[in-house]
């Protein structure tokens, strides 16, 4: 499977912005759906957004609509998560994951369908 490396996390104040990056590498080009997830102590891991790495499909979870944007740069093998208007409840470890799927939307927020995961990058939002 693909090897994934996230970066871009950090500490910001409420209302601030961060852009997370997920660089993917490897020979398994069949893995075509990238997802961003987040997890925090006391909370289940939840899906944030998903994107087709070789298509036009992109989807952002309801809590992130209007604030987060997922995009990609195929030349750099990188998927981005632009996060604006951050809130303290966005504080979490953010991880990217990739899988092989016919539809990137079906089961997009189910972590057990993803094959490869990055190590995560911490985002902390202070009030």
């Amino acid at each position: 499977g693909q090897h994934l490396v996230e970066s871009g996390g950090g500490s910001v104040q409420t209302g601030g912005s961060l852009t997370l990056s997920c660089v993917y590498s490897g020979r398994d080009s069949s893995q075509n759906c990238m997802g961003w997830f987040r997890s925090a102590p006391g909370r289940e891991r939840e899906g944030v957004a998903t994107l087709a790495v070789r298509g036009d499909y992109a989807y952002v979870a309801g809590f992130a609509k209007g604030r987060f944007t997922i995009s990609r740069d195929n030349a750099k093998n990188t998927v981005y998560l632009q996060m604006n208007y951050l809130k303290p409840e966005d504080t979490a470890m953010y991880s990217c994951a990739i899988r092989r799927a016919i539809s990137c939307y079906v089961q997009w927020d189910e972590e057990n369908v993803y094959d490869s995961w990055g190590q995560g990058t911490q985002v902390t939002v202070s009030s």
Side-chain angles (χ1 to χ4, degrees):
Q2 303 272 10
H3 178 63
L4 308 178
V5 179
E6 303 96 333
S7 62
S11 297
V12 297
Q13 292 187 325
T14 297
S17 298
L18 285 172
T19 299
L20 308 183
S21 300
C22 174
V23 179
Y24 55 94
S25 61
R27 297 184 178 182
D28 190 353
S29 60
S30 66
Q31 292 178 310
N32 58 317
C33 299
M34 184 74 78
W36 278 101
F37 287 79
R38 68 184 188 181
S39 58
R43 289 162 45 188
E44 292 187 0
R45 181 178 287 180
E46 62 181 343
V48 179
T50 187
L51 170 147
V53 296
R54 287 180 295 277
D56 295 329
Y57 179 77
Y59 180 81
V60 176
F63 66 81
K65 285 188 189 300
R67 302 191 299 129
F68 295 3
T69 303
I70 188 170
S71 62
R72 72 182 195 277
D73 184 338
N74 288 353
K76 297 181 179 179
N77 281 5
T78 301
V79 173
Y80 303 98
L81 184 68
Q82 171 71 42
M83 306 187 295
N84 299 320
Y85 307 109
L86 284 163
K87 308 173 184 180
E89 51 263 45
D90 294 318
T91 294
M93 179 71 75
Y94 285 72
S95 302
C96 58
I98 197 167
R99 64 174 177 139
R100 180 188 312 113
I102 296 174
S103 166
C104 290
Y105 178 71
V106 175
Q107 296 181 292
W108 78 269
D109 57 350
E110 297 180 22
E111 59 181 294
N112 61 348
V113 304
Y114 288 83
D115 307 309
S116 303
W117 290 79
Q119 82 289 348
T121 185
Q122 177 68 36
V123 171
T124 302
V125 185
S126 59
S127 57

